[in-house]
Amino acid sequence: MFRAFIATASLAALVACGQPVSPAENPGAAEPADPAAGTTSQVLNIYSARHYDSDKAMYAKFEEETGIKVNVRESGAPELLETMKAEGADSPADVIIVSDAGALYQFQREGFTQPIRSDALEAAIPEQLREKDGHWFGLAKRARVIVYDPQLLPLEEVDTYADLAEDRLRGELCVRSSTNIYNLSLLGEIIGRLGSDAAETWAKGVASNFARPPEGGDTAQIEAVAAGQCAAAIVNHYYWVRLATGTTEERLTAAKTLVSFPDQDAGGTHINVTGAAVSSTSRSPDLAVKFIEFLTTPDGQALLTSETKEYPIVASAPVPEGLELLANFKQSDFPLSELGAHQAEAQAIFDRAGWN
Ligand code: FE
């Protein structure tokens, strides 16, 4: 069980989130690592579905270290994919950054990624978290957890994903829409592990337990639990951590709930990644790889995760403020590159289950 109280987290510590890490941690930072750095012709175009202030510091740090100029286009992953479809082979994108292996798969499926071999990336990133041919690389982890109201439910009733489909939770669950990639990937793993029939039975059971039709994002589900609209919800862990380290009001919301990591006595909790791919249209794939490699350095990892509250994938990277609250859990070892193969079926199952 993971306690929700962090009301004493200091403002100073929170303000530190998103700041560049100390140059002392990277003595070479002041000098361009690339012999060609400083030439104005080196430009990297990044299409990112992220939208965090800390990412600006991340790009600045990379520019400072390499002399490579970074241009960023930020938009939702579906919008970025549509943009690239419209641009076609002329797309200026060099690097694509999106969250969830299911979203990375969609770019791969449309032919917008290219296979990359990088000893540094293969050494830094566990096989489970990257595409087998190098079409994309997971860079930060997230866990799909259950947030619940301990006044209404004991942990034993929400400590497996299977619990969520039990009759005893009738009218007690809040979830977001099945069109969201997070739920598609969770169901993709359940299909991969248990098979289609069991996955459909589960989805129908969960849908019959809804307290309300799916609405809102993950944060809205936590707020609904805290407000008593439902007893439990499925969310990504970092939304809870952000509330638990947020404003006074947000901390009070988090403190009314607890986090359960499902399936600790079985296959482990579903995890996913924020990841990056080299665009198939890139004319500077070497620079693109250099940037993705930078994101696996301790500095890059810190800047990638400090504000999002995702888990760094590199052990030497600093742990984001507040993440120690949810530090230890057994994670599923399901290969993330297999999620894409189940995505269409997952959507069909959700549709049949009435999980819209
Ligand atoms: Fe998210």
Side-chain angles (χ1 to χ4, degrees):
M1 183 178 298
F2 298 80
R3 304 299 298 182
F5 304 109
I6 189 181
T8 54
S10 80
L11 191 59
L14 299 178
V15 167
C17 295
Q19 297 300 312
V21 295
S22 161
E25 290 176 33
N26 184 358
E31 288 172 10
D34 180 354
T39 58
T40 51
S41 61
Q42 291 198 300
V43 175
L44 190 66
N45 294 316
I46 297 175
Y47 280 23
S48 172
R50 286 162 55 103
H51 44 270
Y52 302 100
D53 287 343
S54 52
D55 283 4
K56 295 185 180 72
M58 183 173 85
Y59 300 130
K61 182 78 176 171
F62 177 73
E63 289 182 329
E64 176 195 322
E65 282 195 17
T66 63
I68 298 166
K69 169 88 172 73
V70 172
N71 295 324
V72 183
R73 177 177 195 132
E74 287 185 358
S75 193
E79 291 77 19
L80 288 177
L81 185 56
E82 288 310 308
T83 297
M84 291 191 75
K85 284 181 184 173
E87 293 168 338
D90 294 330
S91 175
D94 295 303
V95 177
I96 300 159
I97 302 176
V98 292
S99 290
D100 202 289
L104 290 157
Y105 159 79
Q106 292 172 355
F107 284 83
Q108 181 185 354
R109 183 189 60 196
E110 299 296 333
F112 288 122
T113 63
Q114 60 172 290
I116 293 299
R117 284 300 313 271
S118 158
D119 290 344
L121 292 177
E122 283 162 29
I125 304 169
E127 243 183 289
Q128 180 200 4
L129 307 182
R130 50 183 161 86
E131 203 281 328
K132 60 179 171 38
D133 295 321
H135 278 275
W136 49 260
F137 298 88
L139 299 167
K141 276 185 302 197
R142 58 267 307 286
R144 197 117 180 98
V145 301
I146 299 170
V147 164
Y148 68 102
D149 180 344
Q151 315 262 41
L152 300 177
L153 296 172
L155 175 62
E156 308 86 78
E157 292 192 11
V158 281
D159 62 358
T160 66
Y161 293 114
D163 282 335
L164 301 176
E166 294 289 333
D167 286 346
R168 64 173 181 270
L169 291 182
R170 192 59 51 90
E172 302 287 3
L173 292 186
C174 283
V175 297
R176 74 192 295 170
S177 165
S178 70
T179 57
N180 180 266
I181 196 69
Y182 302 157
N183 286 331
L184 287 170
S185 287
L186 173 61
L187 188 56
E189 174 166 345
I190 293 173
I191 293 169
R193 280 190 177 281
L194 305 179
S196 304
D197 292 346
E200 182 150 351
T201 300
W202 179 80
K204 285 178 172 164
V206 174
S208 65
N209 287 340
F210 287 168
R212 60 180 188 184
E215 64 174 60
D218 281 10
T219 301
Q221 313 312 319
I222 302 171
E223 289 167 348
V225 173
Q229 292 171 22
C230 34
I234 310 171
V235 301
N236 282 353
H237 81 279
Y238 51 85
Y239 293 103
W240 186 89
V241 176
R242 289 180 204 166
L243 290 175
T245 56
T247 64
T248 302
E249 195 184 344
E250 288 170 336
R251 290 181 212 177
L252 287 171
T253 297
K256 288 179 183 151
T257 68
L258 292 175
V259 173
S260 163
F261 283 89
D263 291 12
Q264 294 300 282
D265 296 329
T269 298
H270 172 75
I271 58 158
N272 215 302
V273 286
T274 285
V278 178
S279 170
S280 58
T281 65
S282 175
R283 292 168 184 87
S284 308
D286 293 351
L287 300 189
V289 171
K290 191 187 289 269
F291 176 75
I292 298 172
E293 289 175 349
F294 163 74
L295 293 181
T296 66
T297 64
D299 277 358
Q301 286 276 292
L303 290 161
L304 191 68
T305 61
S306 62
E307 186 178 344
T308 68
K309 310 301 184 188
E310 293 169 285
Y311 296 99
I313 57 157
V314 172
S316 57
V319 175
E321 182 81 32
L323 198 49
E324 69 279 358
L325 294 167
L326 303 181
N328 297 309
F329 69 100
K330 178 184 174 186
Q331 63 181 50
S332 167
D333 60 3
F334 192 82
L336 298 188
S337 60
E338 289 182 20
L339 292 176
H342 302 301
Q343 199 172 99
E345 186 179 16
Q347 188 67 71
I349 287 174
F350 278 138
D351 290 347
R352 289 196 291 272
W355 181 337
N356 301 313

